[in-house]
Amino acid sequence: MRRRKLAVAAGFCLSFFLGSLFNVLFIPAVFEQQQQQQSSEGRSDLARQIRERYQEVLRYQEHQAPTARQRLVRPLERRLMDLAPQQRAAAAGSEQPPKAERSKGFSSSPQAKIELSLQQPQLLGCRDIHNVTHVHYLGSGYTKAVYKAVLNRSLAVALKSVDFGGHDIENCVKLYAALGDCYRLASYKIVKEMILLQRLQHDNILQLYGYCYQDSNDIPDTLTTITELGSPLEMIQLLQTSWEDRFRICLSLVRLLHYLAHSPLGSMTLLDFRPRQFVIVDGELKVTDLDDASIEEASCASNSDCYMEFPARNFTLPCSVEGRCQSMNEKRNLYNAYRFFFTYLLPHSAPSSLRPLLDMIVNATGELHWGIDETVAQLERVLHLYKSGLYLLNTTRTPKYREVLEAAILEENYRCWPSYHHKGCLLSVFDVSEAIEVCESHSQCQAFVLINQTTWTGERCHWVIAAAIAKNPSYQPEKEVDFLKGLMSILR
Ligand SMILES: Nc1ncnc2c1ncn2[C@@H]1O[C@H](COP(=O)(O)OP(=O)(O)OP(=O)(O)O)[C@@H](O)[C@H]1O
């Protein structure tokens, strides 16, 4: 019995010794091998992503419809850099490059430089951005950094390039330790955006002025795009502006979505629709960030494949006989327009007679009852009612007001909200009758002046409370001041 116990103990010691010997001799080699395998998997993973993005860029440049396989894979790619390698592999499926491309090797096929055949003679390039002044940082997102700069001492533009300190590059370098390739991957987002800015021409899409490839940070051919300059969209600020200006933002947005739904490249959706993807140029909303735009409509076998998920609502769209989710791109844009813009901007402090129509627009888009054609038609209808004065309710006989020629009174000016001028009460009206109506509703209003200035609608006047048309027939302005002249120069 004792001998058996000794034999077991000896066996255990021997196996422990052999096991340790094995660990000492072989595990570092296995570990090294595993590391090598992981890093080569990482490199080929990165190369695959570069190749896929390059192919996407080429598709947009050549305007080819994606293959069925690409259609299935594409929506998952959007933020693949956020996922761990295993998740990425699972998300991307087992898609392999075609045999011919595999044998070519990935890294050599994608080209760093993609030139645009821009026709405009005024196309800007490297020469112009070497001579910039007044450069200052405007903003940055996941991938890009944007600077304001003045070219040739005259034209203010936005310069956009890959942000070397941004999340996209940082996460990629952490994963793959390959700055050059990570730059290339990120830069295809700017290339894609540049191609789309060139191919899509609309008043509510930022204008591309040009681009420049130059060596930077030891990386050859880094890309900078030169575009129209806007100001970042601040929702809080927008909420403080007049209804007329907020309506203008919503109208610009539906006109843009209408164009995107019928774009020369096909129905296009903005996968990333947050307000920061837009800027304001002269009071109009314009889209600036197009790297997440997509024309691929999801394929389906049944309606349940056409499921759209939003934080507060889900929708199932019909699957067409051709196996496509019907109008999915258009409807995704519309619901996003509803949840990020319409609910906040459209109904609040609108003229009361327009409220029922505006509420109907908000409800119909929130339920996805309408497509973009109907939505844009309804907003254009609101514009027509508003600028033609048809929205004005027939008011009872207006009280008597006396006209005082060429007068303005600084002291009696007062502040109101929302005003186009912070020092006084400057509003927009359709005509004198509406001005009287507003003056009647403000207890401080003694008189008002109609300025010969129209708002963006082209037909409505600005109105300032000062003098000229006095509430009280015996009202005598004390001084004549040039307050109005000051206001007029501020306005335009
Ligand atoms: N032409 C422009 N004029 C003024 N500001 C701009 C312009 N283009 C972009 N911006 C600002 O720069 C920010 C970053 O630009 P952009 O959205 O293209 O970068 P991104 O890395 O793609 O961001 P995201 O993570 O949102 O996708 C924007 O949120 C916007 O506020």
Side-chain angles (χ1 to χ4, degrees):
M1 186 66 172
R2 215 161 148 223
R3 214 176 286 158
R4 226 166 108 199
K5 270 187 190 165
L6 274 174
V8 169
F12 178 75
C13 288
L14 187 66
S15 71
F16 180 76
F17 172 74
L18 288 177
S20 304
L21 193 67
F22 176 84
N23 284 354
V24 169
L25 292 178
F26 296 108
I27 289 220
V30 170
F31 184 64
E32 215 167 89
Q33 218 176 0
Q34 269 175 354
Q35 263 191 332
Q36 272 173 5
Q37 197 185 336
Q38 269 172 4
S39 86
S40 95
E41 271 171 21
R43 271 199 310 275
S44 70
D45 188 32
L46 179 57
R48 180 185 54 78
Q49 290 185 61
I50 292 177
R51 190 180 49 81
E52 283 175 3
R53 231 177 248 179
Y54 176 69
Q55 285 171 348
E56 186 193 13
V57 160
L58 291 186
R59 277 204 308 279
Y60 282 107
Q61 195 180 30
E62 292 156 14
H63 179 200
Q64 286 168 0
T67 63
R69 170 184 291 199
Q70 284 157 343
R71 262 200 307 277
L72 275 172
V73 178
R74 172 66 188 108
L76 297 169
E77 279 175 15
R78 196 170 78 75
R79 288 286 190 231
L80 279 182
M81 299 287 296
D82 290 343
L83 307 176
Q86 307 91 298
Q87 286 173 290
R88 259 196 310 279
S94 57
E95 200 198 28
Q96 281 282 311
K99 216 172 175 188
E101 282 178 30
R102 259 184 283 161
S103 60
K104 260 197 253 164
F106 298 139
S107 53
S108 60
S109 49
Q111 289 168 19
K113 260 177 154 175
I114 296 199
E115 301 285 355
L116 297 187
S117 51
L118 294 176
Q119 305 297 316
Q120 301 96 315
Q122 74 275 25
L123 177 68
L124 301 174
C126 296
R127 237 178 334 152
D128 303 276
I129 61 171
H130 289 151
N131 192 19
V132 291
T133 51
H134 301 88
V135 180
H136 75 248
Y137 172 79
L138 274 178
S140 52
Y142 191 81
T143 311
K144 298 162 261 166
V146 184
Y147 289 83
K148 175 185 173 177
V150 176
L151 306 190
N152 307 322
R153 302 199 179 278
S154 54
L155 180 66
V157 295
L159 302 177
K160 210 183 249 198
S161 48
V162 169
D163 185 0
F164 279 90
H167 297 294
D168 212 344
I169 291 281
E170 197 186 304
N171 292 349
C172 177
V173 170
K174 238 186 248 166
L175 266 173
Y176 303 112
L179 180 65
D181 282 350
C182 286
Y183 173 82
R184 194 57 58 221
L185 182 66
S187 77
Y188 284 134
K189 286 192 178 180
I190 302 198
V191 176
K192 173 181 168 185
E193 186 168 285
M194 175 171 84
I195 290 170
L196 289 179
L197 289 179
Q198 181 216 11
R199 304 213 59 182
L200 305 172
Q201 296 287 320
H202 188 262
D203 287 347
N204 299 107
I205 298 180
L206 219 68
Q207 225 182 307
L208 176 72
Y209 292 150
Y211 63 93
C212 166
Y213 282 105
Q214 61 193 336
D215 298 349
S216 163
N217 285 353
D218 291 334
I219 293 174
D221 297 323
T222 65
L223 173 63
T224 304
T225 54
I226 311 164
T227 68
E228 190 178 5
L229 177 70
S231 36
L233 191 142
E234 297 288 345
M235 217 46 176
I236 305 285
Q237 250 172 27
L238 265 187
L239 290 172
Q240 292 167 22
T241 60
S242 67
W243 176 81
E244 188 172 323
D245 286 356
R246 281 182 279 117
F247 172 67
R248 187 182 189 185
I249 300 294
C250 296
L251 185 66
S252 330
L253 182 60
V254 292
R255 284 175 175 167
L256 167 70
L257 298 188
H258 182 256
Y259 173 79
L260 291 182
H262 305 286
S263 96
L265 301 176
S267 178
M268 176 160 286
T269 193
L270 303 175
L271 290 170
D272 190 351
F273 205 98
R274 289 165 302 162
R276 52 185 280 177
Q277 313 301 318
F278 302 89
V279 291
I280 305 287
V281 181
D282 294 332
E284 285 274 320
L285 175 128
K286 299 199 180 198
V287 63
T288 163
D289 189 353
L290 283 173
D291 61 31
D292 281 321
S294 165
I295 51 169
E296 278 100 73
E297 292 266 19
S299 309
C300 54
S302 70
N303 290 359
S304 60
D305 294 333
C306 303
Y307 187 66
M308 271 202 305
E309 207 173 348
F310 295 96
R313 280 287 313 254
N314 303 319
F315 297 92
T316 303
L317 298 177
C319 176
S320 72
V321 280
E322 296 86 29
R324 299 274 177 81
C325 296
Q326 266 174 28
S327 314
M328 197 170 208
N329 286 347
E330 174 182 330
K331 295 269 172 128
R332 187 187 290 109
N333 284 346
L334 255 178
Y335 189 76
N336 278 325
Y338 156 82
R339 75 184 177 112
F340 286 114
F341 291 88
F342 301 164
T343 40
Y344 302 111
L345 303 181
L346 262 188
H348 164 60
S349 70
S352 56
S353 61
L354 292 176
R355 272 301 290 264
L357 181 51
L358 293 168
D359 288 342
M360 186 171 83
I361 294 173
V362 173
N363 290 339
T365 49
E367 294 296 322
L368 285 185
H369 287 156
W370 294 342
I372 189 64
D373 294 356
E374 179 67 16
T375 311
V376 83
Q378 294 292 348
L379 265 98
E380 295 288 357
R381 197 172 138 218
V382 174
L383 175 66
H384 170 70
L385 294 174
Y386 187 61
K387 69 182 203 176
S388 61
L390 288 170
Y391 74 100
L392 289 168
L393 305 166
N394 281 340
T395 43
T396 45
R397 273 168 53 81
T398 50
K400 285 226 162 17
Y401 277 68
R402 184 175 64 93
E403 201 170 330
V404 181
L405 291 174
E406 296 192 16
I409 294 181
L410 185 60
E411 281 76 16
E412 289 178 59
N413 195 22
Y414 65 92
R415 291 184 191 168
C416 65
W417 184 88
S419 169
Y420 285 94
H421 191 265
H422 65 278
K423 281 194 172 159
C425 184
L426 180 62
L427 302 169
S428 127
V429 290
F430 176 68
D431 58 9
V432 179
S433 306
E434 193 185 2
I436 290 175
E437 206 181 296
V438 181
C439 189
E440 284 294 295
S441 69
H442 290 191
S443 58
Q444 300 109 302
C445 182
Q446 293 294 319
F448 59 85
V449 171
L450 280 170
I451 308 174
N452 192 16
Q453 290 266 334
T454 51
T455 64
W456 64 270
T457 63
E459 299 188 25
R460 296 175 57 81
C461 320
H462 274 111
W463 166 63
V464 59
I465 293 183
I469 297 181
K471 201 182 219 174
N472 178 348
S474 62
Y475 181 83
Q476 286 297 326
E478 281 163 12
K479 309 185 220 167
E480 288 191 10
V481 289
D482 59 359
F483 175 62
L484 272 185
K485 280 192 202 136
L487 272 179
M488 287 169 84
S489 55
I490 287 164
L491 278 172
R492 288 284 153 203

